[in-house]
Structures are given as C-alpha cells and as structure tokens.
Amino acid sequence: MDRQTDNDVSDVSNLLYRHPELYEVVYDGANHAVARLAETILHDHLGRQPESLLDIGCGTGRDLEYLAKHITDVVGVDHQQAMIDYARRRRPEIEFRVEDMRTLRLGRTFEAITCFGYALANVHANRDIDKVMATYAAHSHPGTVLILEMIDPLRTDKLPRGFHIDIPDLRADAIAEYRHHPAQQLLERQRTWRRAQGLVHDHVNYRLLYPKELEYYLDNHHFEILGAYELPEKLNAASAFVAARYRGEQP
Ligand SMILES: C[S@@+](CC[C@H](N)C(=O)[O-])C[C@H]1O[C@@H](n2cnc3c(N)ncnc32)[C@H](O)[C@@H]1O
C-alpha cells in the first residue's frame, strides 16, 4: 500500500538541518570520498568529466564544491532554506537554489545529475518517487549519467549509530536507533544528542528501495542502470551508489 507520507521539513526534525554548520562537522566527508567516487564513475561512463552537473538534495554543497573544481557549470538544489543559505555563504561562487526535487524544473539539461546522502530516501510515497524520477528525466538528455547514493536495504545494520561533535562552542555525542516499518518500507531513525545543556532529539524516516524496484522506477523514466558501486574501505558501509544513463524517450 502506498501510504501518503508527506516529505517536508515537518517530517524531519534534524538538529543538523537546523544548524548546517554542524552538518559538516558530523559528516566530515572522509576527504571528499563521495565526490571522488562520483568523479571516477563519471569518467568511466563519459570518458571524461562532464561539463555540467546538477546536484539534487545538495545540502551544504560540499560535494558540489569539490566537483566544481573540474566541472564549470554546476547547480545545487535543496528544499531547505537553511541549507541553501549556508551553502551560498560558504560557496558563493556556486549557483544554489531552494527547490523541491519532486517539482524542480530548471528548463535545461545537464551531463550529470547526482543525488547523494540518501536525499532520495527522504521521499516516501511511490507517486512522489515517480515525480523525482520525472525530475531527473526532465534535466537529462540522451547520455546523461545519474548517480544516486542509496541506502542498501540489506545493509541497514551498517548505518552509523554513534555521532560526535567537538568544536570550540559545542561538545555533543549522539546515539541513533533504527526501527523498520516494513509495510511502508520506511526506516525510522531516532537520534538523541547529549550536550552539557541537555538532550536534543532528532527524527527522520528513510524510504527503502530494493534494487529491482529502483530499476523499475528508473526504467519507467528511460534510465538504464550502468552499475552499482561502493565507497572504498567500507566508508558509509550501508551506501550503494547506483549509476544510470538516460536513453531518452524512444518514439
Ligand atoms: C542527508 S542530506 C544530504 C546532503 C548532501 N547531498 C550530502 O550528501 O552531504 C539530505 C538532503 O536532502 C534534502 N532533501 C530532502 N528532501 C528533499 C526534497 N524533496 N527536495 C530537495 N531536497 C530535499 C534535505 O534538505 C537534505 O539537505
């Protein structure tokens, strides 16, 4: 059953989204591991780096900043104003927009599209996933390479459970607990931060997509899967990176 779970900020009470400056402290990016893997995947499938790239659910824009070293035409979109405000302050040379990935229409295409950090998993209902696929297609031309960082539903036990912040203004530790809601294919994360000032609770639901399901959604929107990739050395061990190519609408 396709339960209508709305994807909006009210569904995510995430301390790090309210304080984007902390996001990059907690997720230190492991020396740009995700962006470097993306460069490898793009090079493998395009034979060079793309000339244009759209990062959907870009958050603070850190991956985009790294990718922009070799790609001149980059755009980042995220539906959270606080994330985009921070991204614009930190990375003023990059174009960032506040947009919902279900409805985004920039009226142009890109050679590469990325969606990292489980951004797609924030979209829960089947019909909304279809809308996001339509967004990917609307910004693609034949040959565009799409890279998605997905939660591997068979490796959710590898999702991080301990989190740590240690900066001059704040020391905090968090423990995360995950709970499956199989009927909705949602994985709920409850995270509790301990700080000197007391506890703060985080909450997020992730939609899990099994590989054949993802293939079906992508195929319906004219993408063919090129391959699945993992980060080296088991970083983000629950992540599966899926690359797909837009083949265009056949007449
Ligand atoms: C965990 S963060 C990942 C950010 C960044 N891609 C990274 O890997 O560091 C997920 C991002 O997806 C964004 N997001 C969730 N739902 C969205 C939607 N419907 N449209 C656009 N962005 C969305 C959130 O605001 C958040 O910044």
Side-chain angles (χ1 to χ4, degrees):
M1 191 178 70
D2 190 1
R3 193 181 132 210
Q4 180 65 53
T5 43
D6 226 12
N7 159 250
D8 61 31
V9 188
S10 62
D11 189 47
V12 178
S13 62
N14 189 325
L15 172 73
L16 304 182
Y17 291 167
R18 295 197 300 277
H19 300 279
E21 69 284 0
L22 297 180
Y23 185 90
E24 292 186 7
V25 175
V26 172
Y27 298 103
D28 68 5
N31 193 24
H32 302 285
V34 168
R36 286 188 286 115
L37 176 65
E39 279 190 337
T40 305
I41 295 172
L42 291 169
H43 192 271
D44 280 356
H45 295 294
L46 294 169
R48 56 178 169 77
Q49 285 309 309
E51 285 174 10
S52 57
L53 183 143
L54 171 64
D55 189 22
I56 299 183
C58 64
T60 64
R62 181 179 48 198
D63 292 326
L64 204 49
E65 181 184 19
Y66 184 89
L67 291 164
K69 286 183 187 159
H70 302 294
I71 309 170
T72 43
D73 177 12
V74 298
V75 179
V77 301
D78 199 285
H79 72 152
Q80 294 201 60
Q81 184 74 51
M83 281 293 200
I84 293 297
D85 288 346
Y86 176 83
R88 285 179 177 145
R89 274 199 310 278
R90 275 291 302 268
R91 287 136 190 148
E93 67 290 353
I94 294 179
E95 179 181 347
F96 290 105
R97 290 169 173 245
V98 179
E99 297 277 359
D100 188 318
M101 65 174 92
R102 294 169 296 183
T103 52
L104 170 73
R105 289 297 178 273
L106 296 175
R108 58 163 293 193
T109 62
F110 294 80
E111 275 199 277
I113 301 177
T114 52
C115 205
F116 296 140
Y118 311 147
L120 177 59
N122 288 277
V123 173
H124 301 155
N126 290 348
R127 66 178 71 89
D128 284 333
I129 294 170
D130 254 326
K131 288 183 185 169
V132 179
M133 297 287 152
T135 296
Y136 296 151
H139 296 89
S140 297
H141 49 253
T144 292
V145 174
L146 168 71
I147 306 176
L148 305 175
E149 184 183 5
M150 309 293 295
I151 298 176
D152 182 336
L154 301 177
R155 285 186 291 168
T156 56
D157 58 317
K158 302 280 191 284
L159 282 163
R161 284 178 155 70
F163 301 85
H164 191 56
I165 298 173
D166 190 357
I167 54 174
D169 295 342
L170 178 65
R171 287 189 65 173
D173 289 297
I175 305 283
E177 288 177 10
Y178 296 91
R179 206 170 127 221
H180 281 274
H181 297 277
Q184 288 84 35
Q185 280 184 217
L186 290 180
L187 180 67
E188 179 182 3
R189 186 190 68 196
Q190 295 275 5
R191 187 165 58 180
T192 303
W193 291 94
R194 282 175 196 283
R195 314 165 301 162
Q197 304 91 320
L199 301 181
V200 184
H201 300 284
D202 258 3
H203 179 255
V204 63
N205 280 317
Y206 293 119
R207 167 68 194 262
L208 299 177
L209 281 175
Y210 285 83
K212 283 291 176 193
E213 240 182 327
L214 178 63
E215 184 182 323
Y216 181 76
Y217 279 111
L218 288 168
D219 185 53
N220 277 344
H221 293 271
H222 315 291
F223 286 93
E224 65 197 4
I225 291 188
L226 297 169
Y229 302 80
E230 287 183 26
L231 287 169
E233 294 151 20
K234 301 269 179 265
L235 286 164
N236 297 11
S239 288
F241 290 81
V242 176
R245 191 194 313 274
Y246 187 65
R247 56 175 185 267
E249 288 188 45
Q250 262 99 43

